[in-house]
Amino acid sequence: MSTVQEGSLPEAGSPAAFQAEDAVKARGYWEQVWLRLKRDRLALAGGGFIVLLFFVAFAGAPIAAMLLGHGPNDQFYTAVDPDTYLPVGPMTRVQTPDGGTTLFILGADSTIGRDLFLRLLYGARTSLEVAVFATLFSVGTGVLLGSLAGYFRGGIDTVVSRLSEIFMAFPALLFIIAISATAGEQLNGVTFGGFLAPGVFTLVLVFSLFGWYYPARIVRGQVLSLREKEFVEAARMTGASDWRIVRSHLLPHLVGPVIVYSTLIVASLVIGEAGLSFLGLGIQEPTSSWGNILAQAPQYYLTVPSLMIWPGLAILFATLAFNLLGDGLRDAFDPRKTG
Amino acid sequence: MPGKLVLATVMTALAASLFVAGALAGGSATSATKGGTLRYNHSLSDYEYIDPQKCYDTGCSELLWPTMYNLMQYPEKAGPLGKRVYPEAATGLPVVSKDGKTYVFTLRAGHKASNGKTVTGQWFVHAFERLLSPKMGDAASARFGGVSVLASVQGAQAFYDGKTQKISGISTKGNKLTIKLTQPFPSLVSALAMNWFTATDPSTPYSEQDVNTVVGAGPYYISSREVGRTVVLDRNKNYKGSRPANPDRIVVTVGGDQNQSILQVKAGQADLEPIVPSAAAGALADEFGVNKSRFFVKPTSVTSYWALNSLPGQPLANAKIRQAINWAIDRPAQVRVSGKFGGRRTTQILPPAMPGFQQANNIYAYSGANVAKAKAVAGDVSNVPTLRIVHSNSSANINRGQIMRFNLEAMGLKAKTEPIPSAQLFTRAGDKKNGNYDVLAIGWQADYPDPSNFVNVLLDGRNIPDQGSSNNAALFNSPKFNKLMDAAAKLSGDARFAAYGKLDVQIMKEAAPWAPYINANNRILTSARISNLIYNEANTDIALNALVIK
């Protein structure tokens, strides 16, 4: 097996050149991305945690409920300490109405006496539903509008750009409060036949409404640059339609930045959901979410601080995982990063 | 003789020295009880109003009490003695006409307020006028049915409507103040102890805005206020009355975090937190004991309840279902939400602190079989539409709402909860058209210790307006009970209290317009340097002016 020494490159067409081409294995774009990503252990750990989180939230929660014999919204008044009137602590066996007992792995969530562990698992489900669907809708809208604006420019670009500026200037929190106070009850009831938890649709709508303009601006900038490249010119000369150019020649170049942005935005939406639910504007009781679990905790921060710690850790690790993966993907998609 | 003279001289000298020593000891005791700055934490939020004619909650009434100088007043005493109203600005009890419609008060002469002016009858007239004037905007009277309290004063309604410049039923001449009523109002004397009726400088303007200083004719006055931060009360140097005035100054810090406040009081960085958070009560009781040194649990005259919308045509118009709900709700769980020493469980309208209260143990007594009992009482509830449970968005009420929902669903009803801000809750309560609730979490604290202030004010169906909110959150209107309320209101003394006590139980047994669950306690923490905490059960206030800083 021959090697190619730096500073002694063979001339093209020479036998040595053929030998060198054999030695350098051609790698595709995605393979190179994967190779770069593989070298980032933190990103991989983040990705692994996310996979685990999805499994725990969507499969683990119902399995845990079945094994424990109660649901996340079931109230056990025996899960409140009769002496202190505080929620019971971790690994407490709680008496059930039929005279049996059931295990509260992380204790009770409040003086209502619900299982904190199950509520955390089901809360993960709610948080992920909100974050993932809102990301899909906001990024999808952003990519569509950004591509159109960047590719066609002119009037469409003006409309999309001004629209994004208006949305950026709009007081989103006030709008959310107004929505919550007026149409919140109706919107919270939209669950698509139980597919989504109550309240998820409202948050997805709100986050999508106020989340599309950043990806739109990123994509617009990219497309403005790409549309001047030779390969687009070539495609246009061969008679490709605008739709084909956008779909087949531009969008593949946008996959990297869009995936990176999406990963990072999921993390911020997990925090957004928790924040709004904490303020009472997001997911409403009895549906569990990390935010409304956390909302119960401040009154106990001197007496049962673990009520704040568990949902806090869940939010911390979930956002950290998405951020680490996002950072790793950003580096992996960057061909200048050779690692 | 000389021996007797010597003995007499020695005895005289001894007596004189004892007298001087006693006097000195007395003097030092007095100086030990007076002085210092009381640091009072009023956590969570600022006062909505400190204007005496606008203030209508326990927080501001506690703040104003040391500044107040009323015709009738509650003493700074605990227990039953504190419930006996006494003449403060009046020289004695009023002279009441035979028909019970005219009250004549004789005023003390020469009493001076903090601004140096002498208090006259006009100061009390002005209090009534500010309370009822349309120029005051959303004064307490307008917002909370104060007019109904004062409806019996001649000319009150016309003045309130802006038709007259003076209230015809109130006049003053010399040291006499005359109040004329359209109908007997036996609890007037108690009502006059409210902060609304405190002597108010006639130069105090009418305003829709709140005030930042309050002239006090009582032992203190409000010298300054920084909205959202502090309120300062200073001693009224012109006060010559008998009420205590121990701290030199009372500095109220508003709007902090309750838990932080507890830490401050425990560490001696603040002196008083009158609202201990529910989760902290147990630990404080363990540390300081209850009602011993620093942690105090005192009853209020509050009943917290679920108002069950009884309006005809509504899902809960049927008394049987309302009774069933009373059976179904898990009151122990509702009480536990308030934390340790949060209050006592109740199934009645009147709180125990209210004169006339009769303990009835067998109304909706809680046992393990309550759901079965509720189902049996309610019968088939499959046709009852989804009940709308409305409550404030406080953490405690969100929890109570979840318990209520859980209980209703256990008895076969469908329910959904709607947490809303407290301000919205009050605008929706008792609103026939726009209330949009079936079950509403609310509570009531008596303005003065008379049972009519609970029963008639909250359940007389004739007080429900065609539009807007009202105190009758259950929208309960029963001709039978309206008549019984009228009959009880006309009585006085023990007969009055007995009638109301009976009516309380009868309403809950037969009509069940409410599902009451707790008579709340006040949980109070003081610093180590505070003593002489006097809690008046009539107005459920701490006498801030009586606190002694060691």
Side-chain angles (χ1 to χ4, degrees), chain B residues 264-437:
Chain B
Q264 285 177 340
V265 175
K266 280 176 77 173
Q269 294 162 359
D271 294 317
L272 179 66
E273 171 52 67
I275 307 172
V276 166
S278 56
L284 292 174
D286 290 343
E287 191 172 351
F288 301 116
V290 178
N291 294 332
K292 286 180 180 164
S293 58
R294 295 178 58 183
F295 177 64
F296 299 89
V297 177
K298 302 290 181 184
T300 66
S301 54
V302 171
T303 299
S304 296
Y305 60 96
W306 293 97
L308 309 176
N309 187 343
S310 313
L311 211 60
Q314 295 297 313
L316 300 183
N318 181 349
K320 287 284 176 201
I321 299 181
R322 299 199 300 268
Q323 289 167 349
I325 290 174
N326 266 283
W327 281 112
I329 70 165
D330 185 345
R331 286 186 172 83
Q334 299 269 354
V335 170
R336 273 197 293 270
V337 171
S338 297
K340 189 91 172 170
F341 308 111
R344 74 182 274 287
R345 201 162 82 207
T346 185
T347 56
Q348 293 177 241
I349 297 163
L350 296 177
M354 183 60 65
F357 172 79
Q358 294 173 12
Q359 179 68 53
N361 291 321
N362 57 350
I363 321 178
Y364 313 116
Y366 184 76
S367 74
N370 282 53
V371 171
K373 176 86 180 171
K375 283 180 176 172
V377 171
D380 180 17
V381 291
S382 57
N383 292 330
V384 177
T386 303
L387 298 177
R388 298 157 297 177
I389 303 170
V390 174
H391 52 75
S392 81
N393 54 9
S394 73
S395 175
N397 274 334
I398 287 172
N399 287 352
R400 289 199 185 94
Q402 291 306 309
I403 295 168
M404 179 53 119
R405 177 178 174 162
F406 192 72
N407 295 156
L408 294 180
E409 288 174 349
M411 66 171 277
L413 290 164
K414 299 175 284 296
K416 60 181 179 181
T417 53
E418 186 188 347
I420 57 173
S422 293
Q424 274 185 38
L425 193 87
F426 290 121
T427 59
R428 283 172 66 173
D431 189 332
K432 257 193 232 184
K433 289 185 179 163
N434 301 312
N436 292 324
Y437 61 85

Side-chain angles (χ1 to χ4, degrees), chain A residues 60-77:
Chain A
I63 292 170
M66 193 178 67
L67 292 175
L68 291 168
H70 60 262
N73 299 337
D74 291 346
Q75 299 175 10
F76 294 88
Y77 304 131

Side-chain angles (χ1 to χ4, degrees), chain B residues 183-196:
Chain B
Q183 59 188 8
F185 185 30
S187 49
L188 179 72
V189 167
S190 301
L192 289 175
M194 290 172 69
N195 55 271
W196 288 356

